Amino acid sequence: MAGISLCACAATAAHDPYGDWVGTLVQDQGEDCPVDDPSFMQIRPHHMIFVPGTGALILRGIPKKSRQFYHATLTLKDARGQPYPMVFTAQPRGKFFYGLYGTPDCRAHITLHRP
């Protein structure tokens, strides 16, 4: 009787980036980083979102799986009417995504995993 080997191996983030990812931002510089609540990233074949600190702001982008490039942005206006850019980039490493989040007031990094 031949034995069947089942692999419980999880796909790497680079091979299968699509789906939901969660993690908590860790402040590197500045102030007002949304570090108290989990952040959320969702990647689909033709769009992606990043929600810092599960807040109301949604950064949007178009994933580039072939280049392993994941980038989302949102530009608001500050109280003086000046642009206030919010930028998120992520790269897969093993079973996780490692990302950087930045605004004019905050720089933070994050490790994202599947929920």
Side-chain angles (χ1 to χ4, degrees):
M1 184 158 130
I4 298 175
S5 173
L6 297 176
C7 180
C9 303
T12 65
H15 178 71
D16 182 20
Y18 304 123
D20 298 341
W21 301 84
V22 295
T24 302
L25 287 164
V26 176
Q27 185 170 305
D28 295 321
Q29 291 181 335
E31 300 177 9
D32 300 323
C33 293
V35 297
D36 295 330
D37 294 310
S39 294
F40 174 77
M41 178 175 73
Q42 182 181 73
I43 300 175
R44 298 290 184 246
H46 302 289
H47 73 275
M48 69 172 284
I49 63 169
F50 179 74
V51 181
T54 57
L57 300 175
I58 300 173
L59 287 69
R60 298 178 187 278
I62 298 172
K64 306 281 189 224
K65 182 182 176 192
S66 62
R67 292 182 31 219
Q68 297 297 300
F69 182 73
Y70 300 88
H71 179 85
T73 62
L74 174 65
T75 301
L76 303 174
K77 292 197 182 220
D78 67 13
R80 296 173 297 170
Q82 299 299 310
Y84 187 85
M86 306 170 96
V87 177
F88 174 75
T89 59
Q91 292 183 320
R93 290 189 202 152
K95 296 179 186 177
F96 304 98
F97 270 94
Y98 291 91
L100 298 172
Y101 170 75
T103 72
D105 302 319
C106 165
R107 295 287 183 268
H109 67 274
I110 189 169
T111 300
L112 297 143
H113 60 89
R114 293 189 189 273

